[in-house]
Amino acid sequence: MPGLAAVVPLLGSASALSAQTAPQPQRPAVFAQCAACHSVQPGKHLFGPSLAGVAGRRAGSLPGYAYSPALKTAGLTWNAATLDRWLTAPRKVVPGTAMPFAGIPDRAQRKAVVDYLLTLK
């Protein structure tokens, strides 16, 4: 019977392997319209800012991205409710925003995007 010293390294490598192979959140198909302008990689901005870690972040506050004055002063913090409102009609939520996106009218599709955004780290 192997001693504890022989088993511990195996347990450690198994947990490291499972952490590396943990499934990523399922990206909804409708998110393709978001991905045209937004990255989900931390610090990688495209036409729009990175959406990594968006949950709990104050709107217009991510360093390294030039937000519109309207979004910087909107006073929003991104959570399920504010993301849902925003993705319904961004220009109604923040008049003067530079985001050229009409919104996602379908409630189920919008919820899928919000749920996905809330998982991004």
Side-chain angles (χ1 to χ4, degrees), residues 55-69:
R57 187 168 65 216
R58 187 170 171 86
S61 68
L62 188 63
Y65 186 79
Y67 291 94
S68 67

Side-chain angles (χ1 to χ4, degrees), residues 31-61:
F31 188 79
Q33 37 186 327
C34 308
C37 295
H38 295 277
S39 167
V40 296
Q41 296 174 25
K44 183 178 180 184
H45 306 302
L46 302 176
F47 182 75
S50 169
L51 296 176
V54 71
R57 187 168 65 216
R58 187 170 171 86
S61 68

Side-chain angles (χ1 to χ4, degrees), residues 66-103:
Y67 291 94
S68 67
L71 196 57
K72 285 182 186 179
T73 60
L76 299 173
T77 298
W78 299 123
N79 58 39
T82 55
L83 285 166
D84 181 65
R85 282 190 7 245
W86 173 258
L87 292 174
T88 300
R91 292 179 180 205
K92 287 183 181 176
V93 175
V94 180
T97 182
M99 187 164 145
F101 178 67

Side-chain angles (χ1 to χ4, degrees), residues 2-18:
L4 185 57
V7 174
V8 171
L10 292 175
L11 292 175
S13 59
S15 64
L17 179 60
S18 66

Side-chain angles (χ1 to χ4, degrees), residues 79-80 83-84 87 109-119:
N79 58 39
L83 285 166
D84 181 65
L87 292 174
Q109 289 181 336
R110 197 170 57 248
K111 182 180 181 332
V113 171
V114 169
D115 290 348
Y116 174 68
L117 290 172
L118 295 176
T119 68

